[in-house]
Amino acid sequence: MNRTDSRETAADLAADAALLEIAEGLGLSTLLDRASPFTHHEVMAAADVPESGATAFLDALLCAGLVERGEDPHHFLPCSDMADRRYAAGYLSWALNANRPYIDNATSFLREPAAAGAQYQRDGRRVAVSSRWIGSYGFYPGVISEITGRKPRRIVDLGAGAGGLLIHLLTALPDSTGLALDLSAAACEEAERAARRAEVGDRLEVVNRSIESLVEDHSPVRDADVVHAGFVMHDVVSRPDVLDGVLRACRASIADGGCLVVTDAVPYVADPRERSFSALFTYLHSSSMDVRLPPEEEWRAAFGRAGFSDVTCTPLRMPGSRMFVAAG
Amino acid sequence: MNRTDSRETAADLAADAALLEIAEGLGLSTLLDRASPFTHHEVMAAADVPESGATAFLDALLCAGLVERGEDPHHFLPCSDMADRRYAAGYLSWALNANRPYIDNATSFLREPAAAGAQYQRDGRRVAVSSRWIGSYGFYPGVISEITGRKPRRIVDLGAGAGGLLIHLLTALPDSTGLALDLSAAACEEAERAARRAEVGDRLEVVNRSIESLVEDHSPVRDADVVHAGFVMHDVVSRPDVLDGVLRACRASIADGGCLVVTDAVPYVADPRERSFSALFTYLHSSSMDVRLPPEEEWRAAFGRAGFSDVTCTPLRMPGSRMFVAAG
């Protein structure tokens, strides 16, 4: 980073993130992410705010360059680099909004982690939205490329949330089927609705269950060509028997030639490109979420114990993130 | 901003801001801002956390490069670019932490601004801390250089907060006296304590009063060589008679050869370096604080009505900020 840049980079990024968070809260993200122009009236309708309010916020977006006027003066177009700016905003929003309870109560978490953890929890929606913004360039492209390249007939996503990744994959692979597993009933319902909207509902099964449950019941991963687990497997690493049981369930159930794709973060990466965000990510997981992220060698050892003989590890763009592909 | 930078700038800035906010909450900012090394024990004592907690947080600061090990392995040194990184963090912290109630309730502010304004207020401390971090390079250097260059014998700061600017000026100008005026009783008490700590208490008068009160009683600005008002005069611009009365009080009371220095933001600046942050700053003041920032010409007209004949306007580093010097 060039800290003597003549541009005020931090001010630009902070303003973008705040304005995109406001837009998200007003229900305008869909308009801002689409390629076609939108109108002042659509802003009023989507946000359910009076004309003056829609004008005021559109003026801010125009001045910030997040939106431009179309040839028709009543038409507005998202800026051509919206995807880049939303990706950048994701880091700010994850660090300073989604993790707000951990930042504001840092002293309590260092004094009495268990009590603080019981009292102060993150808002799942803020975590999901900011993670999605980071993931747009931070890890989804690598994962999607890896999985679609394998042309899997059946894909299982562990910790699938609202099903975004699977719906994307099933849309790209029209002959494939998928199973979304998540602990959150609300996320599962959202995944079912989203799959119907995307017209892949008949090819997507949604299972409201914990990852741990795979130890006893392998059926959700049975005959999968790809099992994916993004930033969820670290939740079970503190219980090695559970981690080993889940990995063994995958190894035993995956179809011939299939693989397990684990996207996760490794701790305290020293690389200059990764060190700052990796430090925050590692510290918050350790101090506030009781998650000790395993380093690459521990992941490799765990895959080996479960019987996987061919394991690769690839850094993705999000600092500290790694994609493990376990096969064989 | 180079958005295709091989560094992950947004991730770096987000992590720095979150870690510096955590440090501030733990009471460690003083250690991080001083030039001399500090010890693990000082971190434990300042934060009042157990040894393991101090170690965990120091590990994060070390990995992020915000702190380095000294030659003595028990000594820690703040990174050499701490001041730059704290300045950058200021923008993120102001936008996404200090303004959190405005972001989270943006719809309410656009629907019913008065009711929302009564219900959702910012935390004064978060505003003060993030503004101070921005100001460190964003506006204080320009203001300090302008004022000290004039070698004023008496300096008055309107909306002085905890007195930071005046204490800095009185330390640099050992023959000068000052008066700090602020609406907040808590800020005034803090200013008195800080002045005593800095050993300028005998030269600093603290007055707990509103800026509006100057219309009726000129005494706080009487015989001042410099009257400064930083980001507070805009609070009275919605009442032109009050603005004019305050400016006239200053004009009538300032010593011969003296001046009024107003640091404030102008609205919706189109310059590429300023536009994003200026858009956020203008929008939040208008939508959530009922403050319509006056453009440069309106400021000039108001100074003229009050009798100032010599007015200059200089952009400071914070996007959208301007320093007006009114004399004559």
Side-chain angles (χ1 to χ4, degrees):
Chain A
M1 172 174 23
N2 183 354
R3 295 187 200 275
T4 57
D5 198 326
S6 61
R7 296 295 291 265
E8 290 290 335
T9 307
D12 285 349
L13 292 173
D16 280 1
L19 290 168
L20 289 176
E21 278 197 19
I22 292 171
E24 169 73 18
L26 291 171
L28 302 179
S29 289
T30 311
L31 293 182
L32 294 181
D33 284 337
R34 80 183 196 195
S36 52
F38 59 87
T39 65
H40 186 278
H41 196 82
E42 284 180 282
V43 171
M44 279 175 66
D48 193 13
V49 295
E51 184 171 358
S52 61
T55 302
F57 188 59
L58 272 169
D59 281 346
L61 294 177
L62 283 164
C63 174
L66 285 163
V67 155
E68 286 156 24
R69 272 187 207 282
E71 289 185 26
D72 176 335
H74 296 98
H75 280 183
F76 299 91
L77 273 168
C79 59
S80 57
D81 57 353
M82 177 62 80
D84 289 332
R85 292 168 80 169
R86 192 181 285 293
Y87 166 66
Y91 289 104
L92 279 68
S93 202
W94 185 83
L96 296 170
N97 181 17
N99 291 304
R100 180 57 43 197
Y102 300 157
I103 296 176
D104 286 350
N105 302 288
T107 311
S108 303
F109 277 100
L110 289 180
R111 282 182 197 154
E112 301 202 56
Q119 194 173 350
Y120 306 112
Q121 274 133 28
R122 300 190 299 179
D123 175 317
R125 216 179 138 272
R126 290 170 200 240
V127 176
V129 169
S130 58
S131 299
R132 186 155 42 78
W133 294 1
I134 293 177
S136 62
Y137 286 145
F139 43 83
Y140 285 130
V143 169
I144 288 168
S145 162
E146 174 68 32
I147 295 178
T148 52
R150 292 174 167 267
K151 307 225 183 313
R153 293 180 53 83
R154 184 162 182 82
I155 312 163
V156 175
D157 194 12
L158 305 179
L165 175 65
L166 268 178
I167 291 167
H168 182 101
L169 291 168
L170 294 183
T171 304
L173 300 165
D175 296 325
S176 304
T177 65
L179 183 147
L181 178 145
D182 205 279
L183 188 58
S184 155
C188 287
E189 283 170 31
E190 178 51 35
E192 285 186 334
R193 279 194 299 271
R196 280 196 297 274
R197 278 199 305 272
E199 299 180 0
V200 299
D202 55 330
R203 293 187 283 132
L204 181 64
E205 196 178 334
V206 178
V207 175
N208 181 201
R209 200 180 287 187
S210 73
I211 292 172
E212 293 90 318
S213 72
L214 295 176
V215 179
E216 299 296 322
D217 175 5
H218 297 192
S219 62
V221 284
R222 190 158 296 150
D223 296 328
D225 298 295
V226 169
V227 175
H228 173 256
F231 299 97
V232 288
M233 211 62 104
H234 64 228
D235 290 340
V236 299
V237 293
S238 64
R239 289 165 291 161
D241 51 324
V242 176
L243 176 65
D244 286 0
V246 170
L247 295 181
R248 275 196 206 99
C250 292
R251 175 69 180 75
S253 308
I254 285 173
D256 284 351
C259 70
L260 170 63
V261 177
V262 172
T263 317
D264 222 301
V266 293
Y268 284 135
V269 181
D271 180 273
R273 197 190 69 83
E274 301 187 281
R275 62 187 295 189
S276 280
F277 191 73
S278 174
L280 178 70
F281 196 94
T282 308
Y283 173 76
L284 289 177
H285 276 77
S286 161
S287 70
S288 310
M289 297 181 240
D290 198 21
V291 171
R292 203 187 53 78
L293 298 169
E296 179 177 339
E297 313 78 65
E298 281 187 32
W299 280 113
R300 287 184 177 276
F303 291 126
R305 285 195 304 275
F308 291 102
S309 57
D310 176 12
V311 178
T312 63
C313 172
T314 312
L316 300 177
R317 184 166 167 192
M318 184 187 98
S321 68
R322 299 291 183 270
M323 177 174 66
F324 293 94
V325 179
Chain B
M1 171 176 21
N2 183 354
R3 295 186 201 274
T4 56
D5 199 326
S6 61
R7 295 295 291 267
E8 289 290 337
T9 307
D12 285 350
L13 292 173
D16 280 0
L19 290 167
L20 289 176
E21 279 197 19
I22 292 171
E24 169 73 17
L26 291 171
L28 302 179
S29 290
T30 311
L31 293 181
L32 294 182
D33 283 337
R34 80 185 197 193
S36 53
F38 59 87
T39 65
H40 187 278
H41 196 82
E42 285 180 280
V43 171
M44 278 175 67
D48 192 14
V49 294
E51 185 172 357
S52 59
T55 302
F57 188 60
L58 272 169
D59 282 347
L61 294 178
L62 284 164
C63 174
L66 285 163
V67 155
E68 286 155 24
R69 272 189 206 282
E71 289 184 26
D72 177 335
H74 295 97
H75 281 181
F76 299 91
L77 273 167
C79 58
S80 58
D81 58 353
M82 177 62 80
D84 289 332
R85 292 168 79 169
R86 192 180 285 294
Y87 165 66
Y91 289 105
L92 279 68
S93 202
W94 185 84
L96 296 170
N97 181 16
N99 292 303
R100 180 56 45 197
Y102 300 158
I103 296 176
D104 286 350
N105 303 287
T107 310
S108 303
F109 277 100
L110 289 181
R111 282 183 197 155
E112 301 202 54
Q119 193 174 353
Y120 306 111
Q121 273 131 31
R122 301 190 299 178
D123 176 319
R125 215 178 139 274
R126 291 171 199 238
V127 175
V129 169
S130 58
S131 299
R132 186 155 42 78
W133 293 3
I134 293 177
S136 62
Y137 286 144
F139 44 83
Y140 285 131
V143 170
I144 288 167
S145 163
E146 174 67 34
I147 295 178
T148 52
R150 293 175 167 266
K151 306 223 184 315
R153 294 179 53 83
R154 185 160 181 82
I155 313 164
V156 175
D157 194 11
L158 306 179
L165 175 65
L166 268 176
I167 291 166
H168 182 100
L169 290 168
L170 294 182
T171 305
L173 299 165
D175 296 326
S176 304
T177 65
L179 184 146
L181 178 145
D182 204 279
L183 187 59
S184 156
C188 287
E189 283 169 30
E190 178 52 35
E192 285 184 335
R193 278 194 299 272
R196 280 196 298 274
R197 278 200 305 273
E199 299 179 1
V200 298
D202 55 332
R203 293 187 282 132
L204 181 64
E205 196 178 334
V206 178
V207 176
N208 181 201
R209 200 180 288 186
S210 72
I211 292 173
E212 292 91 317
S213 72
L214 295 176
V215 179
E216 300 295 324
D217 176 4
H218 297 191
S219 62
V221 285
R222 190 158 296 151
D223 296 329
D225 298 295
V226 169
V227 175
H228 174 258
F231 299 97
V232 288
M233 211 63 103
H234 64 229
D235 289 341
V236 298
V237 293
S238 64
R239 289 166 290 160
D241 53 323
V242 177
L243 176 64
D244 286 0
V246 170
L247 294 180
R248 275 196 207 101
C250 293
R251 175 70 179 74
S253 309
I254 285 172
D256 285 350
C259 69
L260 170 63
V261 178
V262 172
T263 318
D264 223 299
V266 292
Y268 284 134
V269 181
D271 181 273
R273 198 189 69 84
E274 301 187 280
R275 63 187 295 190
S276 280
F277 191 73
S278 174
L280 178 70
F281 196 93
T282 308
Y283 173 75
L284 289 177
H285 277 77
S286 161
S287 71
S288 310
M289 296 181 242
D290 197 22
V291 170
R292 203 188 52 79
L293 299 170
E296 180 178 337
E297 312 79 65
E298 281 187 32
W299 280 113
R300 287 184 178 275
F303 291 127
R305 284 195 305 275
F308 291 102
S309 58
D310 176 12
V311 178
T312 62
C313 173
T314 312
L316 300 177
R317 185 167 166 190
M318 185 187 98
S321 69
R322 299 290 183 270
M323 177 174 66
F324 293 93
V325 179

